[in-house]
Amino acid sequence: MNMPATDDRPLRLVIHGGAGAVRRDRLKPERERVFMQVLAQSLHAGHAVLAAGGSSIDAVIAAIVIMEDSPVFNAGKGAVFSHEGYNELDASIMDGATRMAGAVAAVTTIRNPIRAAHAVMMHSRHVLLIGRGAESFAAEQALEIVEPSYFYTQRRWDQLQKAIAKERITLDHDLDSDSGEENNEKHGTVGAVALDYRGNLAAGTSTGGLTNKRFGRVGDTPIIGAGTYADNQSVAVSATGTGEMFIRSAAGFYTAAQIKLQNKSLFEAADHTLAEIATIGGEGGLIVLNAQGDYTMCFNTSGMFRGVIGNDGVARVGVFSGDESLAVY
């Protein structure tokens, strides 16, 4: 459902914390509260930037940093482990006013990859930097560099051991039907889209990728036009889901193109993109925002951790289908 803005100069921030097979009977109330509190904190951090007249880019960064610093989502501190036992992080950001963009992939020592993506956008001639090169660049930009052990969490390590034992790759947005208590909740890729008082859009996404991923695998999150896209003439988009299929569908750009060229509504475009992704075996969700403040939070899974805040400064967050499920924080 699209949500119309009600102010002559609307501001809006929409976020997600991943979409997947989230079961009501497996998500314990106390754990759900933790997720909701982090989402609300993220929304309030981004809103503070917007309410003070800050840019949509800065609001996206502020919102995502909160989620990167929390161990409950698969980004930054809460990132999953690769097969080799590393936390390999990806992030991207895009400015809808200029279509400038920046991204990093497979980094292991940058505390906040979204800040590094922004630095690539602002202080380099490039769009995407990877691995050690990206880490060296981030250090030159005086971003916070940490030991790889900073990203270690016992829960993620245990998830890796289970995935190795089962000889499979585990999507960050799925739950094992036979998983123990530690997996009875959703942890996912995070993203944000924002609209500032100047009418400028921005989008950003950050992730730890897949549990047990191998061979330097990189998904859609740092790929501009797949996991992240922003253009003031259409929309800002952040995606979460089965990354390979989002890349193959150019999900972010495809959603924006339908709105710009076919005059589809935000929901129609996002829903159609997810339907196309489903035809090639993918699933997930999209948050989409336009320059009028209209937005949609669309997913083809049982749940998506998500939230929205506007001019009134009230954070609304939820997990399951239906806008009536959004709680006020």
Side-chain angles (χ1 to χ4, degrees):
M1 180 182 297
N2 297 338
M3 301 296 177
T6 58
D7 193 274
D8 289 338
R9 292 195 310 162
L11 60 81
R12 185 80 69 196
L13 173 67
V14 186
I15 64 173
H16 71 75
V22 192
R23 288 172 47 179
R24 288 183 185 271
D25 63 336
R26 300 289 293 276
L27 182 60
K28 295 186 176 182
E30 59 270 24
R31 290 300 297 163
E32 183 176 358
R33 281 193 294 272
V34 173
F35 286 118
M36 298 303 101
Q37 288 167 357
V38 176
L39 289 173
Q41 184 183 0
S42 172
L43 287 168
H44 286 302
H47 180 266
V49 173
L50 295 173
S55 71
S56 53
I57 282 285
D58 288 341
V60 163
I61 294 170
I64 290 179
V65 162
I66 294 295
M67 293 187 282
E68 287 181 335
D69 285 348
S70 170
V72 301
F73 294 112
N74 179 17
K77 178 64 176 174
V80 300
F81 284 91
S82 70
H83 181 78
E84 291 77 17
Y86 301 114
N87 307 102
E88 298 176 351
L89 315 176
D90 311 324
S92 64
I93 196 165
M94 188 168 184
D95 182 352
T98 62
R99 285 189 287 180
M100 292 177 63
V104 294
V107 297
T108 61
T109 62
I110 302 171
R111 174 171 174 166
N112 293 112
I114 193 65
R115 294 193 189 279
H118 183 240
V120 171
M121 182 180 84
M122 296 301 297
H123 303 298
S124 82
R125 296 178 294 171
H126 312 298
V127 171
L128 174 61
L129 300 180
I130 66 170
R132 292 183 180 178
E135 293 168 353
S136 296
F137 174 78
E140 289 179 2
Q141 297 301 310
L143 298 182
E144 186 172 358
I145 303 299
V146 295
E147 292 296 321
S149 59
Y150 165 81
F151 301 105
Y152 178 94
T153 60
Q154 189 64 48
R155 182 183 297 112
R156 295 304 197 189
W157 183 254
D158 292 344
Q159 287 176 353
L160 172 63
Q161 304 316 307
K162 290 180 179 180
I164 291 175
K166 295 178 181 180
E167 297 184 347
R168 72 177 190 181
I169 293 173
T170 303
L171 300 177
D172 70 44
H173 58 276
D174 281 341
L175 299 174
D176 289 338
S177 59
D178 61 344
S179 64
E181 181 177 342
E182 70 274 18
N183 284 333
N184 290 349
E185 62 226 14
K186 164 69 186 69
H187 311 269
T189 294
V190 305
V193 292
L195 170 67
D196 61 33
Y197 276 130
R198 299 168 187 82
N200 291 327
L201 296 168
T205 315
S206 183
T207 193
L210 302 176
T211 298
N212 201 28
K213 63 186 178 182
R214 302 188 69 179
F215 311 117
R217 180 266 184 188
V218 174
D220 65 307
T221 291
I223 307 301
I224 300 302
T228 302
Y229 189 74
D231 181 0
N232 281 4
Q233 301 305 310
S234 55
V235 288
V237 184
S238 177
T240 177
T242 42
E244 281 72 13
M245 286 67 169
F246 279 70
I247 293 172
R248 289 161 57 187
S249 303
F253 180 78
Y254 184 50
T255 301
Q258 292 175 72
I259 293 163
K260 183 176 181 179
L261 302 178
Q262 299 179 348
N263 295 315
K264 287 188 178 181
S265 72
L266 275 62
F267 176 78
E268 289 172 336
D271 189 55
H272 184 70
T273 296
L274 291 175
E276 287 292 306
I277 289 169
T279 66
I280 55 174
E283 63 178 12
L286 297 163
I287 54 174
V288 187
L289 174 68
N290 69 16
Q292 290 71 50
D294 307 322
Y295 70 94
T296 193
M297 301 181 285
C298 189
F299 50 100
N300 61 2
T301 57
S302 59
M304 180 168 73
F305 285 80
R306 63 198 191 279
V308 61
I309 196 167
N311 293 68
D312 61 5
V314 177
R316 294 172 172 84
V317 297
V319 185
F320 301 104
S321 298
D323 296 311
E324 68 279 359
S325 70
L326 297 184
V328 173
Y329 271 73

